[in-house]
Amino acid sequence: MNRQPANRNFVYVTLADFILRAGYQMGKTPLLPIFAASLGASDALLGFIVSVSTLTGMALKPLIGVLSDRWGRRWWLIAGTLWFAAMPFLYHFVQSPGQLVGLRIVHGLATAIYGPVTLAYIAEVSGKRKAERLGWFDMARSGGYIVGPAAAGWMLLWLAPAQVFTAIGLLSLVALAPVLALSEPAPVNTRRSLPVHRQIALALKAGSRTPAVWLSGGLEATVYLALYALKAFLPIYALAAGVNVAVVGLFFSLQEGTALALKPLGGRMGDRLGYLAAIALGMGVSGAALWLLPGAEGNLALLALA
């Protein structure tokens, strides 16, 4: 693939991912907890609803990654885009927390596809510029995480939760245009040296025997446990305290924006202080902010803790 089509494909897949991730984050917080609470979900079920779609990705990402290695990336990206676009329209028909749990599990297939396939696609069209382009791609994806919550909070001022999900579906349909313009980055490897299940098993075995994977994965899991609890319960807590729903959305956007801006500083601290020391410092700051949240009074105090 020559340079010009490669550049075009990179722009297209990055644009599509930004649109879809922004829409997906719009549907996650503060919208999803508020929608679940309106259906009568209990506190325990509320947390499960917010996090359950992640289980689909955990289970299916290795399989989808292997299949895209064998069958090509483009059709998987088209399928993932259609899934992203179709699922939000179904929230209009949800009438109970149990139905919402089932829909969230199915909805998670979209991120299970986009997670590994987009990264593999960019690596294949980037040649010697893989790291640079993955950096730009990650920045665009983070931009979707920043835009999504604030947009959802603003829309909730005017629309019912189910209507916001419909708007997310319409937005996601826009991503079809750049995805359909993509070309396959490389000929599909038709060799079948190993069965699919054997290839997946070998990949999991290699990862499970790497101590750094267990350590970094365990630490990150701890952080995300707290962050997902915050995403699940802060919208309900804040609304009960009289906080404007748009401010709640802005909280999560500001949180993502601060993380994006300070990532280079965090990396530099890791290089100078040692990675474990920097990780411990970051976890300590996050823990302190969570501890202070219940005492935050007023919009400015809440946003400062973001």
Side-chain angles (χ1 to χ4, degrees):
M1 181 177 292
N2 62 47
R3 184 173 180 178
Q4 186 172 0
N7 291 340
R8 181 193 64 199
N9 283 328
F10 169 73
V11 172
Y12 286 165
V13 74
T14 302
L15 176 61
D17 190 88
F18 170 78
I19 294 170
L20 294 173
R21 295 291 177 170
Y24 191 71
Q25 291 303 312
M26 285 172 64
K28 204 158 197 177
T29 189
L31 175 60
L32 184 59
I34 293 173
F35 183 56
S38 72
L39 296 174
S42 64
D43 289 346
L45 189 56
L46 186 67
F48 184 67
I49 288 171
V50 172
S51 61
V52 70
S53 62
T54 307
L55 297 176
T56 310
M58 290 174 61
L60 295 180
K61 279 181 180 179
L63 173 61
I64 291 172
V66 168
L67 292 178
S68 74
D69 287 340
R70 292 171 174 244
W71 300 343
R73 319 293 184 197
R74 182 173 180 270
W75 288 109
W76 279 107
L77 290 173
I78 292 174
T81 303
L82 290 172
W83 207 261
F84 263 121
M87 289 297 104
F89 292 106
L90 299 181
Y91 286 81
H92 182 77
F93 303 101
V94 172
Q95 301 294 326
S96 69
Q99 292 176 352
L100 184 56
V101 170
L103 183 55
R104 289 299 297 171
I105 292 173
V106 176
H107 199 165
L109 178 58
T111 56
I113 295 173
Y114 252 72
V117 179
T118 50
L119 294 177
Y121 188 93
I122 287 186
E124 289 174 353
V125 302
S126 298
K128 296 181 179 180
R129 299 174 60 190
K130 288 184 178 66
E132 176 190 348
R133 288 198 165 169
L134 286 170
W136 284 111
F137 179 78
D138 185 65
M139 183 175 290
R141 176 172 287 184
S142 297
Y145 294 162
I146 294 170
V147 170
W154 180 80
M155 293 176 72
L156 283 169
L157 294 174
W158 313 101
L159 301 174
Q163 293 174 318
V164 178
F165 277 112
T166 300
I168 293 168
L170 295 173
L171 173 65
S172 300
L173 283 172
V174 177
L176 267 178
V179 168
L180 290 174
L182 293 173
S183 58
E184 191 65 49
V188 178
N189 182 7
T190 58
R191 292 181 299 171
R192 297 291 185 266
S193 56
L194 289 173
V196 172
H197 70 277
R198 179 64 175 162
Q199 187 174 346
I200 295 173
L202 288 174
L204 293 174
K205 186 177 180 179
S208 66
R209 291 183 174 180
T210 306
V213 171
W214 287 100
L215 176 60
S216 59
L219 292 172
E220 187 156 340
T222 302
V223 172
Y224 275 97
L225 181 66
L227 292 180
Y228 266 78
L230 184 66
K231 289 182 177 183
F233 296 108
L234 180 62
I236 306 303
Y237 169 80
L239 290 180
V243 178
N244 188 292
V245 67
V247 174
V248 178
L250 184 59
F251 174 94
F252 290 105
S253 293
L254 184 59
Q255 180 185 18
E256 293 289 348
T258 305
L260 176 63
L262 295 181
K263 277 183 179 180
L265 176 61
R268 187 172 183 180
M269 290 176 62
D271 291 336
R272 292 194 171 191
L273 302 177
Y275 301 127
L276 290 179
I279 291 170
L281 178 61
M283 294 178 74
V285 172
S286 297
L290 289 170
W291 182 71
L292 291 171
L293 267 175
E297 295 184 2
N299 294 342
L300 290 180
L302 182 66
L303 295 176
L305 290 173

